[in-house]
Amino acid sequence: MELAERFLLDALAYLECALGVVCYVLLKLRGSPYGRYASPGSAFGLPARAAWAVQELPSLALPLLACAGAGAPAERLNRWPNCILLAMFLVHYAQRTLVFPFLIRGGKPTPLYAFLLAFIFCTYNGYLQSRYLSQYAVYADDWLRDPRFLTGSALWLTGMLINIHSDHVLRNLRKPGETGYKIPRGGLFEYISAANYFGEVVEWCGYALASWSIQGWAFAVFTFCVLFTRAQQHHKWYHEKFEDYPKFRKIMIPFLV
């Protein structure tokens, strides 16, 4: 039974990589029809705050259930590397589920299909990461001193801070009572159009490096594939919307792309 589930977790990880590539191609062809890009009345919309909180919830609830030993004792969570790596995942989704949605100011309705896709992904990936770390991931006794873990942990923390700060910048673009769109200024927005996405990609690449697992890298690959296409869409929109948009800004990776 354990061997079969371990095989399943590896298969799901490879599938997540493949789905990331498929999403990249589809989003390049059709764009991301959400937020400012959604056609009015094209789909049933959900309130932005509620949609965000609920769609991210599985990636918070499933690790917590794993910690509680629901279904099976969390045999590997008696090891510090497993606990810390699962905590990285939990901290991110605690912020995205319990904090971020309630900081949204206004926010366009979330199309129902976008909400359902996000909910399914968070369930899929939440199971994959929490089950692997709580039941099957095996690390050496000195893994916490390994350069991969140390570097990955530093990248995870740096990426999360960039992501949170960039979201703060975006939320405060308009003063109370103002409407319309503005050019983001400050932080990494001085160098790239999608600083918030860059932070999230760095965060999950750090997590993948620290976990040194196909499950972690699958999540990082999927995140990059989806967010890079969104970043390209934002970058193009900014240039079309604002004649004075800084020409030197890159899309999502400072000084490169």
Side-chain angles (χ1 to χ4, degrees):
M1 182 65 180
E2 289 185 1
L3 183 61
E5 186 177 30
R6 177 59 194 269
F7 177 80
L8 173 64
L9 293 174
D10 288 348
L12 289 175
Y14 286 112
L15 178 60
E16 187 168 318
C17 289
L19 289 174
V21 175
V22 170
C23 288
Y24 178 86
V25 173
L26 291 177
L27 291 173
K28 282 286 289 182
L29 293 175
R30 303 189 61 180
S32 301
Y34 75 103
R36 70 186 68 154
Y37 310 112
S39 300
S42 61
F44 179 74
L46 301 172
R49 290 181 176 179
W52 261 107
V54 175
Q55 74 187 27
E56 305 288 304
L57 183 60
S59 283
L60 175 64
L62 290 172
L64 289 175
L65 289 173
C67 292
E75 297 179 1
R76 301 307 305 172
L77 291 184
N78 61 352
R79 309 289 294 179
W80 277 111
N82 301 64
C83 290
I84 293 172
L85 288 165
L86 190 58
M88 290 179 181
F89 192 81
L90 269 170
V91 166
H92 173 90
Y93 279 102
Q95 197 274 339
R96 300 305 277 183
T97 304
L98 304 177
V99 179
F100 175 79
F102 303 100
L103 296 176
I104 294 175
R105 296 181 177 180
K108 295 183 181 297
T110 301
L112 178 60
Y113 66 87
F115 163 80
L116 291 175
L117 288 174
F119 183 86
I120 291 169
F121 173 76
C122 285
T123 302
Y124 180 115
N125 192 58
Y127 164 75
L128 179 62
Q129 305 302 326
S130 61
R131 190 69 177 172
Y132 174 72
L133 289 172
S134 65
Q135 297 292 335
Y136 298 103
V138 177
Y139 295 100
D141 292 338
D142 62 348
W143 183 248
L144 296 184
R145 299 190 297 275
D146 189 284
R148 289 167 291 183
F149 180 83
L150 295 173
T151 304
S153 297
L155 286 173
W156 172 82
L157 179 59
T158 300
M160 185 171 185
L161 293 176
I162 290 172
N163 181 248
I164 291 173
H165 175 262
S166 301
D167 284 339
H168 173 77
V169 170
L170 292 174
R171 279 195 304 272
N172 289 279
L173 284 177
R174 292 189 291 267
K175 297 179 181 178
E178 288 185 333
T179 59
Y181 293 100
K182 290 188 175 183
I183 298 174
R185 306 282 187 185
L188 284 180
F189 282 111
E190 297 299 323
Y191 304 97
I192 49 179
S193 295
N196 51 333
Y197 295 161
F198 173 72
E200 191 157 350
V201 169
V202 169
E203 183 180 356
W204 294 124
C205 284
Y207 167 83
L209 181 60
S211 71
W212 203 249
S213 65
I214 183 58
Q215 285 75 19
W217 283 111
F219 186 19
V221 167
F222 187 94
T223 300
F224 176 83
C225 288
V226 172
L227 295 188
F228 186 66
T229 56
R230 291 184 179 180
Q232 289 176 309
Q233 191 173 10
H234 285 349
H235 189 71
K236 180 181 178 183
W237 183 87
Y238 280 131
H239 277 283
E240 293 174 347
K241 180 74 173 180
F242 301 102
E243 293 183 0
D244 59 340
Y245 193 74
K247 305 299 181 186
F248 60 84
R249 283 192 192 180
K250 299 298 183 180
I251 298 172
M252 197 178 78
I253 303 176
F255 310 112
L256 296 177
V257 182

